[in-house]
Amino acid sequence: MSFDYAQLVKSGIALTDAALERLLPETATQPHNIHRAMRHSVFAGGKRLRPLLVMESARMIAGDLPDGAADVGAAIEMLHTYSLIHDDLPALDNDDLRRGKPTCHVVYGEAMAILAGDALQTLAYETLAKLPGDAAAKIEIVKEVAVATGTGVGSEGLAPGMIGGQVMDIEGEGQKPTAELVEAIHRSKTGALITVSIVAGGLIGGASVEEVTHLRRFGERAGLAFQIVDDILDVTQSSEELGKTAGKDTASDKATWPAVFGLDASRETAAELLRDGLAELDIFGQRADALKAVARALVERTN
């Protein structure tokens, strides 16, 4: 299948930003300050990779972009942004740069940043609850996203979610990192939200149980590869190139893939995970070309 990847990304970002603009309260809406803080972080120039995964997964299953797919992507972007706002707080990673701009708490204060993150989380679930279409699919999407962002394993025995991964990350600081700990943190803190972006896209597109299984396996591998690359970039790129403070993981003694395996082995593992993940999409034939391209961009990026 022939397509223009640059145009695909441009269109996906435009659809996501339009959805976010529609869903987020205006700055003129009371209380003004929290809505300014929410918009400051949401519109700080993110790549919108998770919404792109949602939309291309949905398009692959449905054949065209189904109603509600852009809103699912926007909701997941809200959750991602809330996690970044809270990660940057002094009590956690204590960072003053995100996406090349001052972090939320630097501009609006810690209290407002905490509340802005909270508000984005609740708005995300409100958005998912209002999705059009099949009620059963909507409930499944809400459940999947809740498990992916939470602390536990869920009824299906899935890996702990984003908050669980954050807890493991904090508790692992200052300790000698092990392969088991690093993989658990990465699959939960970052990988879970990437995986659920792909699964939720499939669900809004009407994916079968078998198709969701392949999408989940693809997402798990792509999500882990993404975070390994993030670890690599943290020690090989500058703050200007990354748009956030480089070297923070090393300075904080965080459990990272290069710290355990070294840079060369980390690069090899990320490439292997990407290959295995892409193979899970082979059952979809050429319909998977765009989604595969987005996955490659996740893992082959330089910032």
Side-chain angles (χ1 to χ4, degrees):
M1 181 183 297
S2 177
F3 64 91
D4 184 335
Y5 181 71
Q7 183 56 41
L8 179 152
V9 172
K10 183 179 179 181
S11 173
I13 290 173
L15 285 168
T16 302
D17 284 353
L20 289 166
E21 187 64 51
R22 170 171 47 82
L23 293 164
L24 283 165
E26 296 284 351
T27 56
T29 304
Q30 290 277 15
H32 303 304
N33 221 28
I34 191 167
H35 298 143
R36 290 172 184 148
M38 293 163 69
R39 283 177 168 270
H40 168 83
S41 293
V42 168
F43 292 111
K47 301 181 186 73
R48 310 306 193 211
L49 291 173
R50 290 156 190 81
L52 278 172
L53 289 170
V54 171
M55 288 186 279
E56 292 313 317
S57 179
R59 200 192 310 268
M60 181 185 72
I61 296 296
D64 201 355
L65 192 66
D67 290 344
D71 281 13
V72 175
I76 290 178
E77 186 70 9
M78 291 179 209
L79 291 165
H80 175 54
T81 304
Y82 122 71
S83 76
L84 299 181
I85 292 172
H86 284 189
D87 276 357
D88 291 333
L89 289 166
L92 290 161
D93 286 350
N94 191 23
D95 213 332
D96 59 5
L97 187 68
R98 174 68 68 177
R99 293 170 172 172
K101 297 183 179 181
T103 47
C104 193
H105 71 272
V106 170
V107 179
Y108 293 96
E110 290 182 44
M112 198 57 60
I114 291 168
L115 292 171
D118 293 345
L120 285 169
Q121 183 184 44
T122 56
L123 181 57
Y125 284 103
E126 178 184 341
T127 299
L128 294 175
K130 291 178 178 178
L131 288 173
D134 181 65
K138 179 163 59 177
I139 291 169
E140 189 68 15
I141 290 169
V142 170
K143 184 206 75 174
E144 289 277 355
V145 173
V147 171
T149 55
T151 63
V153 298
S155 58
E156 289 74 25
L158 304 175
M162 183 178 69
I163 296 172
Q166 179 72 71
V167 171
M168 288 187 284
D169 194 21
I170 292 169
E171 293 180 342
E173 287 184 18
Q175 300 179 24
K176 183 175 176 60
T178 65
E180 294 77 16
L181 176 62
V182 171
E183 182 168 349
I185 291 171
H186 286 10
R187 287 192 181 279
S188 304
K189 184 179 176 183
T190 303
L193 200 58
I194 288 176
T195 301
V196 83
S197 298
I198 295 159
V199 170
L203 289 169
I204 197 73
S208 68
V209 172
E210 180 185 359
E211 288 171 334
V212 167
T213 297
H214 285 283
L215 289 172
R216 194 185 306 282
R217 290 173 182 164
F218 162 63
E220 288 169 349
R221 288 156 179 78
L224 181 54
F226 174 87
Q227 185 55 50
I228 292 172
V229 171
D230 209 54
D231 286 354
I232 294 169
L233 295 176
D234 185 70
V235 295
T236 60
Q237 302 293 311
S238 68
S239 298
E240 290 74 20
E241 289 168 320
L242 294 177
K244 60 182 180 179
T245 306
K248 288 284 290 186
D249 291 344
T250 302
S252 302
D253 290 326
K254 285 187 177 292
T256 68
W257 211 271
V260 176
F261 300 101
L263 281 172
D264 289 343
S266 296
R267 292 187 179 101
E268 291 173 6
T269 299
E272 182 180 351
L273 284 164
L274 177 61
R275 286 194 300 270
D276 290 347
L278 293 177
E280 291 290 338
L281 299 182
D282 287 345
I283 65 161
F284 300 105
Q286 289 186 323
R287 288 184 295 147
D289 285 354
L291 183 56
K292 286 181 176 182
V294 177
R296 290 191 186 96
L298 283 173
V299 179
E300 296 170 0
R301 73 195 193 283
T302 57
N303 60 25

